Every structure is written in structure tokens, then in C-alpha cells.
């Protein structure tokens, strides 16, 4: 019964954000043109994108938070500015800092999208540059998966056979810290023997708050591996960039005039001098992260308000340790990401090249919509047996664990690690098995209030499909993972739902959307006679 889901994966996974256009003119080999390209996409609040354009002038624009299409929601920009100096000539590799036309932009020749990476190939004078945005997907390492970070890395190679002097630069602005652009931001820079990093937070964060869909309770990090050739600076955007343009290096200085996002835009910059080279022997790597703890406010069946924590706390005592480990693990992580990319693409190519493109684009959307969390146990330790995943209905609402959206993403979780199904379904099943939940059919979500999940008791008109969908997902998880614990724990609820479907599915006046009912009723009804769930009954 589960197999029929798979072909629907393609149709269902393409989220609202993305429509596809095909290249008309240049770059003949470029066949895949998503309207928006993922840059750093790892959690509902660390989700940075770039609009794609048909003429490959991609990178002369500011990168944006996912809600770029809703200017009414506020300023969507997440400034990420990249510069490179080649033999004293300045080029821009990302961003839209015009500076009176005092430099030119590198020419993008091609981009590609894999499940974990977006890669831009470009030419800057006599140098070929590849910039890769890598947002790892870690199906078997939930600690790493729950650290909201991405790598931005750069490879360069001389294209005229000559040695060239190369200095590279990147900065991020305080826009990444909070959606409330008037908030005062505070920041600092730390230099250790292994890393140089900037940290920035809102001076008065609203814990578990949102403004224009961005959070304002996270810590922004920008980090590089320590080396005498790496320099840092905090200051206004023009101070940092101007310093680099003139000197090819930063001042190693900190601006301590803490202020709001729009007041002389506080910017956090790291640069590296590569010397006179023919090519880089290893990529130049920046790590960018936006880490929140607590992650989610959840109401337990007892009615207690619980703050839940990112899963990585089970390994790291502070978020910066997690981020610096990510920096130190770049080699292994990027190799793991490439293997995963190859596996996913090979499998998807068995359907078609277009399907491989769509899956590549959808993979980070799925994993960028979730937070993996644990609770603090009654013994004061992290309670790993209380792992829960929350998914935000990104793009339309703030719904928490929206059942039909989870269903669309579910094949990807089952394919990568079917164990994800349990923590994803657990919050919905736990809430609806409690006495607080009055309805005979399944809820559509846990409320429209991400990152708060209080549960939703409202009657709604999709009783049949949400109920069928919950049963299908619960069964698919048990069947693919062999783990029947959800079914055994929530058997009574699931059985009640099956009974509800038996009572209502064939009733034309029943509570549902007709099209979905046509799909789901035949799937569910046989379970009355020969319930596949019984096997897992306690
Ligand atoms: C799935 O995740 C679980 C929990 O992290 C892990 O123990 C298991 O090895 C993973 N399985 C796969 C196939 O990655
Ligand atoms: C960029 O990537 C392309 C495609 O993988 C490769 O052919 C090229 O050599 C790379 N360029 C650099 C500068 O690493
Ligand atoms: C730097 O800022 C971070 C984030 O506010 C803070 O956790 C850390 O303690 C600060 N470090 C120093 C040395 O002030
Ligand atoms: C990562 O690999 C590069 C070569 O590609 C090597 O120079 C570097 O030392 C490695 N880094 C670590 C931390 O192992
Ligand atoms: C851990 O979570 C499980 C599942 O919610 C719960 O039954 C158990 O009591 C918790 N343990 C502690 C020590 O809090
Ligand atoms: C976890 O709970 C213990 C007591 O149960 C408390 O002392 C501790 O502060 C809590 N830790 C966090 C991070 O909430
Ligand atoms: C609860 O769910 C209903 C039906 O899905 C929805 O219309 C309503 O907006 C939700 N309640 C709130 C307060 O978000
Ligand atoms: C299903 O119908 C039977 C018979 O009318 C009724 O007893 C039962 O409560 C109904 N169950 C649900 C979940 O609607």
C-alpha cells in the first residue's frame, strides 16, 4: 500500500517558492533554472536564497531570507558580500555593493544545484572561481543535522597559466541576527589557535519570537580556520569593505559601538590572503551559522509549557563548540555530502534527468524546514528518548507539523532514514492521544504559531484526508524502519481514526475534500478487514 506514494513525491515536493523557467538564450548547457537558488538552508530561521536570472548575472544582488517575495513582510535581505582582489584589481563574487562602480563583478558562467550544494562557476580576470554553498544533509548524524550552519567555500585556478596574487573577502551584516531591524545588536570577535570567529546577537531578544518570519533569538556566527593569512574586522559595511579594497587585508579590529541593523550597517568580515598562486590546494572555507536554543515551545499532554532544545546539545555544551567542530570537520563533511549527492542523483536519474533536478532542489527545502529537538529530562539530563522533530509550513503559514506538508516530504525522510518518521509524527500523536484533544479525526497541525506548538483543537473540513494521511505515515514509518513503537504506544488513537474512516469515508456528506478522499479511501479501507497495524499492537 505504501508503494503508490513514491511517484507522488515529484509532484508534491515542489514547494510554492519555486517555479521553473528554461533558458532561452545564453549558456546553452544550462538547462535547469529554478527561480530561486538555495544558499544557506538548514532550519526555518537559517534559510538564505538568491533569485536566479536568465542571463546568469546571478550574483549582483543581495541574498535574501526565504520570504523574499513578500516585501510587505519587511526587508528580506540577508547581506552576504563577497570580494576578491586579483593582482590589485577588485572583483565582486557575491552581493550588490556597487561602491560607485569602482570594481566589476565576476562573470558567472554556470551554476549547478545538487541536493546539498549550490555551485557557481565564475571568471574574474585571469582567474576561474568556484563558490560553493554547502548545506549538509546528515541522515545518520542528527547531532550535525541539528546545527544550523552552512559552508561557503571557494576554489580558484589561474586560467592563463600565470601566477596571480589573490586575496579573498566575505562579510555578513546584522540583518542575519533579527527580523526587527530596529533592534540593537551586540557582537564580538574571538581569535583562538584554531579559529577566528564573529558572534552577534540581539541585545534584547524575544525568546521564541518572530518578526517578519525571521527569528530574533539566535546567535549569528561567521568563522574561518586560524592562520596568519586570515584577518578580521567588525564595523560598518563600507569601513570593512573599503579597508579590504585598499589593503587586501582587514585591520584585526573590533567596532564596539553597538547599534541597530540600519545604523551604519554593522558588518562582520573575514578575509584571507592566498599569496601568489596558480590554484588553491584546498578550498577557502567560511562557516556561517544561526543557532537558537531553545528551539521550540511545546505543550506536553500534562499541559506543561516546555522549552525544547536543539538536538546537538546532547553532544555540545555550547553552540560555538558545535559550530567550530563543523568548521574543523569540513573535509569529511563535504566528502560525505558529495557521496550523498551522488547517491540521491543516481537514484533519481533512474526516473529522469528532470526528476533528479527537482529532487536536488527539494532536498534542502525539506531539511531546511525542520528542527530536531530534545527535552531536558526530569533528572536534569537531556532526554534522548524524547526526541521530537518540528516542521514549519514555510512559504505560506506558521503552522507547526502541517500534516499534508509532512506527507509530501515523507518519502524523502523514508528514503534517507526512515527513523526520522518517529520524531516527526510523535508530537502530533502525543497531543492527539491526550485528553485535551476532543475530535474524532486527526488535527491538521499543532497550531499556526511556529516556533510554539500548543496543539490545535479546532474543527476543520479535512478530517478524512488528515486522518488517512496520519495512518499512512505511521504505517509507512513502522514498515520501513521496522520500529513499531509509535503504533504500539498510540494504538488506541490510531484504531479510533481507522474506525472514523470506516464510518465516514463512503458518506458523500463527510468531512473532506473530494479529490483527496478518492485517493485515500481505497488505501485505508482494507485495513478494517486485515489491519496491518495489529502486528504492532502491545
Ligand atoms: C537513522 O538515524 C538513527 C538515529 O540517529 C541512527 O541510529 C541510524 O543509524 C540512522 N540510519 C541510517 C540509515 O542513517
Ligand atoms: C569548478 O567546477 C568545475 C565543474 O566541477 C570544474 O570543471 C572546474 O575545474 C572548477 N574550477 C575551480 C576553480 O575549481
Ligand atoms: C561574545 O558574544 C557571544 C554572543 O553574545 C557571547 O556568548 C560571548 O560570551 C561573548 N564573548 C566574549 C568574550 O565577550
Ligand atoms: C583537508 O584537506 C586538505 C587537502 O584537501 C588538507 O590540506 C587539510 O589539511 C585538511 N584539513 C583537515 C582539518 O584535515
Ligand atoms: C523522557 O521522555 C520519555 C518520553 O516522553 C518519558 O517517558 C520519560 O519519563 C522521560 N525521562 C525523564 C528522565 O524525564
Ligand atoms: C534542566 O532541568 C534541571 C532540573 O530538572 C534544571 O536544573 C536545569 O537548569 C535544566 N536545564 C536547562 C538547560 O533547562
Ligand atoms: C487550528 O486549525 C484550524 C483548522 O486547520 C485552522 O483553521 C486554525 O487557524 C488553527 N487555529 C489557529 C489558532 O491557528
Ligand atoms: C463509528 O460508528 C459506530 C457505529 O455508529 C459508533 O459506535 C462509533 O462511535 C463511530 N466511531 C467513530 C470514531 O466515529
Amino acid at each position: 500500500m505504501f508503494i503508490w506514494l513514491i511517484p507522488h513525491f515529484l509532484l508534491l515536493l515542489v514547494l510554492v517558492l519555486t517555479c521553473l523557467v528554461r533558458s532561452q538564450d545564453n549558456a546553452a548547457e544550462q538547462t535547469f533554472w529554478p527561480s530561486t537558488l538555495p544558499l544557506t538552508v538548514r532550519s526555518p530561521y537559517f534559510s538564505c536564497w538568491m533569485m536566479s536570472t536568465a542571463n546568469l548575472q546571478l550574483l549582483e544582488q543581495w541574498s535574501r531570507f526565504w520570504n523574499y517575495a513578500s516585501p510587505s513582510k519587511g526587508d528580506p535581505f540577508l547581506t552576504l558580500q563577497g570580494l576578491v582582489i586579483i593582482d590589485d584589481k577588485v572583483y565582486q563574487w557575491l552581493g550588490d555593493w556597487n561602491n560607485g562602480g569602482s570594481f566589476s563583478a565576476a562573470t558567472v558562467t554556470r551554476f549547478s544545484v545538487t541536493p546539498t550544494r549550490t555551485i557557481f562557476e565564475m571568471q574574474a580576470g585571469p582567474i576561474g572561481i568556484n563558490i560553493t554553498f554547502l548545506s549538509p544533509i546528515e541522515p545518520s548524524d542528527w547531532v550535525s543535522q541539528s546545527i544550523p550552519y552552512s559552508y561557503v567555500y571557494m576554489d580558484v585556478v589561474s586560467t592563463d597559466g600565470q601566477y596571480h596574487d589573490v586575496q579573498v573577502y566575505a562579510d555578513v551584516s546584522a540583518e542575519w541576527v533579527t527580523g526587527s531591524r530596529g533592534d540593537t545588536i551586540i557582537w564580538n570577535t574571538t581569535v583562538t589557535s584554531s579559529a577566528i570567529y564573529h558572534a552577534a546577537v540581539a541585545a534584547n531578544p524575544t525568546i521564541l519570537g518572530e518578526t517578519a518570519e525571521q527569528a530574533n533569538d539566535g546567535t549569528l556566527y561567521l568563522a574561518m580556520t586560524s592562520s596568519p593569512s586570515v584577518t578580521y574586522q567588525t564595523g560598518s559595511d563600507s569601513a570593512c569593505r573599503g579597508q579590504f579594497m585598499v589593503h587586501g587585508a582587514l585591520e584585526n579590529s573590533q567596532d564596539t559601538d553597538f547599534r541597530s541593523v540600519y545604523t551604519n550597517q554593522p558588518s562582520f568580515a573575514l578575509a584571507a590572503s592566498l599569496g601568489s598562486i596558480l590554484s588553491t590546494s584546498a578550498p577557502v572555507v567560511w562557516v556561517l551559522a544561526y543557532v537558537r536554543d531553545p528551539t521550540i515551545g511545546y505543550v506536553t499532554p500534562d499541559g506543561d509549557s516546555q522549552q525544547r532544545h536543539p538536538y546537538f546539545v546532547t553532544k555540545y555544551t555550547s553552540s560555538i563548540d558545535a559550530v567550530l567542530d563543523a568548521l574543523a570537520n569540513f573535509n569529511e563533511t563535504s566528502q560525505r555530502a558529495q557521496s550523498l549527492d551522488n547517491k540521491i542523483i543516481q537514484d533519481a536519474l533512474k526516473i529522469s534527468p528532470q526528476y533528479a533536478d527537482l529532487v536536488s532542489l527539494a532536498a534542502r527545502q525539506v531539511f531546511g524546514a525542520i528542527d530536531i529537538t530534545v527535552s531536558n529530562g526530569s533528572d536534569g539530563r537531556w532526554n534522548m528518548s524524547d526526541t521530537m522533530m518540528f516542521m514549519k509550513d514555510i512559504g505560506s503559514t506558521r503552522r507547526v507539523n502541517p500534516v499534508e506538508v509532512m506527507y509530501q516530504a515523507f518519502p524523502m525522510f523514508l528514503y534517507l532514514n526512515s527513523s526520522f518518521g518517529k520524531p516527526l509524527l510523535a508530537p502530533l500523536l502525543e497531543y492527539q492521544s491526550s485528553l485535551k484533544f476532543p475530535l474524532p479525526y486527526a488535527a491538521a497541525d499543532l497550531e499556526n504559531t511556529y516556533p510554539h506548538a500548543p496543539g490545535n483543537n479546532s474543527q476543520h473540513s479535512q478530517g478524512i484526508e488528515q486522518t488517512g494521511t496520519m495512518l499512512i505515515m505511521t504505517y509507512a514509518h513502522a514498515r520501513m524502519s521496522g520500529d513499531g513503537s509509535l503504533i504500539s504506544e498510540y494504538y488506541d488513537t490510531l484504531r479510533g481514526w481507522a474506525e472514523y474512516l470506516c464510518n465516514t469515508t463512503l458518506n458523500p456528506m463527510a468531512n473532506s475534500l473530494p479529490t483527496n478522499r478518492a485517493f485515500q479511501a481505497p488505501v485505508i479501507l482494507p485495513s478494517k478487514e486485515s489491519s496491518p497495524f495489529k502486528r504492532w499492537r502491545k
Side-chain angles (χ1 to χ4, degrees):
M1 108 175 175
F2 162 65
I3 295 303
W4 72 271
L5 287 178
I6 300 291
H8 292 258
F9 178 25
L10 184 156
L11 291 171
L12 297 170
L13 255 176
V14 188
L15 305 187
V16 182
L17 261 180
T18 309
C19 68
L20 303 174
V21 286
R22 296 244 154 211
S23 161
Q24 301 296 321
D25 33 43
N26 45 13
E29 62 178 311
Q30 189 83 44
T31 56
F32 185 50
W33 290 89
S35 66
T36 318
L37 296 168
L39 299 186
T40 69
V41 178
R42 284 274 288 185
S43 83
Y45 300 109
F46 184 59
S47 188
C48 180
W49 298 73
M50 164 161 294
M51 291 169 77
S52 114
T53 51
N55 60 8
L56 280 178
Q57 293 307 306
L58 296 168
L59 301 176
E60 283 183 88
Q61 58 170 298
W62 297 121
S63 40
R64 295 144 196 252
F65 193 56
W66 64 258
N67 65 358
Y68 77 94
S70 313
S72 62
K73 289 180 174 160
D75 155 22
F77 298 118
L78 299 177
T79 294
L80 182 49
Q81 176 68 45
L83 299 171
V84 55
I85 303 177
I86 297 159
D87 303 329
D88 300 328
K89 195 162 181 330
V90 180
Y91 298 86
Q92 174 168 280
W93 54 264
L94 182 70
D96 197 19
W97 191 55
N98 192 303
N99 199 39
S102 60
F103 52 77
S104 42
T107 307
V108 177
T109 50
R110 192 169 173 273
F111 69 83
S112 45
V113 177
T114 71
T116 66
R117 290 169 295 156
T118 301
I119 305 155
F120 298 99
E121 293 169 43
M122 55 187 92
Q123 189 73 30
I127 295 280
I129 302 176
N130 286 1
I131 304 284
T132 304
F133 291 86
L134 165 58
S135 297
I137 293 174
E138 304 273 19
S140 55
D141 183 348
W142 296 6
V143 167
S144 298
Q145 183 62 51
S146 68
I147 309 168
Y149 78 97
S150 297
Y151 301 106
V152 182
Y153 62 90
M154 182 179 214
D155 297 282
V156 309
V157 64
S158 166
T159 50
D160 64 359
Q162 306 293 309
Y163 280 82
H164 296 283
D165 255 326
V166 180
Q167 291 105 33
V168 300
Y169 169 98
D171 72 51
V172 287
S173 81
E175 290 160 329
W176 289 73
V177 178
T178 171
S180 304
R181 302 301 202 225
D183 286 355
T184 298
I185 311 299
I186 55 178
W187 58 82
N188 60 33
T189 307
T190 305
V191 180
T192 73
S193 57
S194 57
I196 300 182
Y197 61 89
H198 302 297
V201 295
N204 298 298
T206 312
I207 303 302
L208 301 174
E210 257 194 9
T211 308
E213 318 223 30
Q214 252 187 280
N216 50 40
D217 57 354
T219 306
L220 172 71
Y221 295 106
L222 180 69
M224 281 182 108
T225 303
S226 273
S227 139
S229 65
V230 173
T231 52
Y232 67 86
Q233 189 165 334
T234 53
S236 71
D237 51 355
S238 53
C240 296
R241 295 166 196 166
Q243 162 70 25
F244 175 75
M245 283 179 63
V246 173
H247 301 282
L250 297 169
E251 279 180 339
N252 290 340
S253 65
Q254 297 190 47
D255 176 345
T256 52
D257 173 21
F258 302 132
R259 55 190 186 267
S260 71
V261 174
Y262 288 147
T263 315
N264 291 326
Q265 185 156 328
S267 298
F268 317 111
L270 291 173
S273 182
L274 310 185
S276 183
I277 54 169
L278 272 176
S279 68
T280 37
S281 54
V284 180
V285 182
W286 290 268
V287 161
L288 185 55
Y290 184 72
V291 190
R292 299 170 54 250
D293 182 11
T295 320
I296 292 281
Y298 174 74
V299 179
T300 68
D302 300 335
D304 297 334
S305 291
Q306 180 189 63
Q307 291 194 343
R308 300 184 61 86
H309 305 271
Y311 192 79
F312 72 76
V313 297
T314 59
K315 175 166 175 190
Y316 297 102
T317 51
S318 74
S319 60
I320 186 59
D321 292 346
V323 171
L324 294 181
D325 244 14
L327 177 64
N329 294 336
F330 170 75
N331 286 2
E332 306 88 272
T333 310
S334 61
Q335 269 161 30
R336 201 160 57 239
Q338 293 192 25
S339 309
L340 184 72
D341 283 348
N342 292 341
K343 173 179 147 58
I344 296 174
I345 290 168
Q346 287 312 314
D347 286 346
L349 280 173
K350 291 176 194 158
I351 311 289
S352 74
Q354 289 82 0
Y355 185 66
D357 283 343
L358 283 176
V359 171
S360 293
L361 192 59
R364 274 169 289 174
Q365 293 185 355
V366 169
F367 281 86
I370 60 162
D371 278 309
I372 310 179
T373 69
V374 289
S375 63
N376 185 10
S378 54
D379 55 1
R381 297 181 193 195
W382 302 119
N383 189 348
M384 312 258 292
S385 55
D386 182 30
T387 302
M388 287 185 174
M389 270 164 65
F390 295 86
M391 177 180 259
K392 187 178 182 190
D393 182 30
I394 290 186
S396 345
T397 69
R398 293 174 63 182
R399 289 170 60 209
V400 185
N401 291 26
V403 172
E404 76 287 357
V405 180
M406 276 169 49
Y407 183 63
Q408 291 156 16
F410 217 64
M412 184 169 283
F413 291 118
L414 293 178
Y415 167 80
L416 288 172
N417 184 347
S418 52
S419 298
F420 281 125
K422 181 173 178 178
L424 198 56
L425 291 164
L428 286 162
L429 287 168
E430 182 173 277
Y431 181 77
Q432 292 172 76
S433 298
S434 73
L435 293 174
K436 288 192 298 184
F437 189 70
L439 305 176
Y441 50 81
D445 52 53
L446 288 167
E447 260 300 6
N448 189 16
T449 47
Y450 210 97
H452 292 275
N456 185 346
N457 289 352
S458 309
Q459 294 192 14
H460 63 84
S461 60
Q462 298 162 18
I464 289 180
E465 43 275 82
Q466 306 292 16
T467 303
T469 301
M470 285 299 293
L471 288 170
I472 291 171
M473 287 193 288
T474 307
Y475 178 63
H477 161 257
R479 184 150 161 200
M480 297 285 285
S481 68
D483 171 6
S485 58
L486 281 180
I487 293 180
S488 111
E489 186 160 0
Y490 300 111
Y491 189 84
D492 292 342
T493 301
L494 297 166
R495 189 170 174 282
W497 284 345
E499 197 178 292
Y500 168 79
L501 289 180
C502 292
N503 283 6
T504 54
T505 306
L506 299 180
N507 171 3
M509 300 308 285
N511 181 7
S512 81
L513 300 173
T515 329
N516 282 5
R517 187 171 63 209
F519 272 114
Q520 295 190 339
V523 172
I524 290 304
L525 280 180
S527 66
K528 186 184 182 189
E529 278 70 46
S530 55
S531 173
F533 288 77
K534 279 204 171 131
R535 177 176 154 199
W536 284 289
R537 190 174 182 176
K538 255 187 248 179

